[in-house]
Amino acid sequence: DVVGEIGLDVLVRRLRPLKREKQVDFTVVNGENAAGLGLFPAQAEEILDAGADVITLGNHTFDKHQIRPMLEESPFLLRPANYTARAPGRGTGYYDMGRCSVRVISLQGRVNLNYNCDNPFTAADRILKDAERATFTLVDFHAEATSEKLAMGYYLDGRVSALWGTHTHVPTADERVCPKGTGYITDLGMTGVIESVLGIDPRQSVEGFLGGLPGRYRAPEGPAKLQGAIFTLDSATGLCTAVERIDIR
């Protein structure tokens, strides 16, 4: 999750050097909070120019109505695939890299996220059954509950190359290769201001929990971090051999 303008700035400055250092071939960035809540088209272009191959979204997909045309036009911008058919855009993408191909699937959880979306488990089944075969399949599962993310990890183990969680903005220390070969981590964390509450000014967040009126989203300032994970994948099997958590301050 890239949060706010400072998160976007650190991504722009640090992603390409990180990719060179770690020899990264393909990069997926969740951009649904780049505008605080939602994503503007110009910010999506910045993320792609910074080195992302695909941008995924989540429960704030439609918070900025300006993004809707880009959702229809760009194959590199994905909203959750288990949204209803009336929602603009697409939830999966197929990307030919020459020596291999990558399919990216965006899904949204339903536990504590009261949005009108289909069951992500059965949606994943439908996609994997009908989709064009790719060397690697990557899943961004944008969900609140760790139990739902873990269950999805076990459910898709051996059927996808890697599955990671987004949405909670707090990185989990459970990166691993699942028993059947799928790379997994419950949540990647966020790219944004270090001294914040999930990217929000701490004073504003505290005021909300005290029962006050926190008001419009306020982004703090200060040093930033870039968080994520690197999955090492085997093109012979389509599965994962290693997972490395990334946390750059």
Side-chain angles (χ1 to χ4, degrees):
D1 280 285
V2 177
V3 182
E5 287 294 336
I6 291 179
L8 184 56
D9 179 68
V10 74
L11 185 84
V12 167
R13 288 187 292 108
R14 299 303 298 268
L15 181 56
R16 287 196 185 277
L18 175 66
K19 290 178 68 170
R20 286 194 295 269
E21 177 189 348
K22 298 291 187 177
Q23 298 181 311
V24 174
D25 296 300
F26 193 88
T27 305
V28 182
V29 173
N30 188 290
E32 73 144 14
N33 289 122
L37 298 175
L39 174 70
F40 288 115
Q43 294 173 324
E45 294 292 353
E46 277 193 83
I47 292 172
L48 293 170
D49 290 345
D53 293 285
V54 176
I55 301 170
T56 53
L57 298 169
N59 59 297
H60 293 300
T61 293
F62 302 118
D63 281 29
K64 299 291 183 280
H65 66 88
Q66 295 92 332
I67 201 67
R68 295 187 182 198
M70 191 174 183
L71 283 166
E72 294 282 12
E73 296 162 5
S74 176
F76 308 108
L77 180 63
L78 304 178
R79 49 85 170 156
N82 55 323
Y83 279 5
T84 68
R86 294 175 63 88
R90 72 209 80 201
T92 68
Y94 176 89
Y95 310 97
D96 187 349
M97 300 176 65
R99 58 192 175 92
C100 66
S101 57
V102 180
R103 176 165 297 284
V104 179
I105 302 171
S106 173
L107 293 170
Q108 182 173 306
R110 297 198 296 182
V111 177
N112 296 333
L113 284 176
N114 297 318
Y115 292 85
N116 185 21
C117 56
D118 295 334
N119 187 312
F121 291 80
T122 55
D125 283 335
R126 289 195 301 270
I127 294 166
L128 294 174
K129 178 182 177 182
D130 299 336
E132 180 180 359
R133 182 171 177 81
T135 313
F136 305 115
T137 299
L138 312 177
V139 180
D140 178 345
F141 190 28
H142 198 78
E144 178 86 12
T146 54
S147 58
E148 192 177 18
K149 295 178 187 180
L150 281 162
M152 183 67 82
Y154 280 109
Y155 189 64
L156 297 183
D157 187 17
R159 296 198 282 162
V160 302
S161 308
L163 183 151
W164 59 85
T166 55
H167 177 66
T168 65
H169 295 201
V170 177
T172 54
D174 61 344
E175 70 277 10
R176 67 188 184 113
V177 178
C178 294
K180 297 180 182 178
T182 292
Y184 176 85
I185 184 170
T186 297
D187 201 282
L188 296 177
M190 75 169 196
T191 294
V193 177
I194 295 170
E195 297 300 336
S196 69
V197 178
L198 313 184
I200 297 173
D201 187 312
R203 293 167 297 179
Q204 182 180 19
S205 184
V206 169
E207 178 64 20
F209 283 109
L210 287 173
L213 299 175
R216 185 181 176 185
Y217 169 89
R218 295 197 306 271
E221 295 186 355
K225 60 188 176 183
L226 182 150
Q227 294 176 322
I230 295 175
F231 298 88
T232 302
L233 308 179
D234 182 355
S235 57
T237 64
L239 297 174
C240 185
T241 59
V243 185
E244 178 186 0
R245 192 154 33 102
I246 298 297
D247 191 333
I248 297 172
R249 306 283 171 136

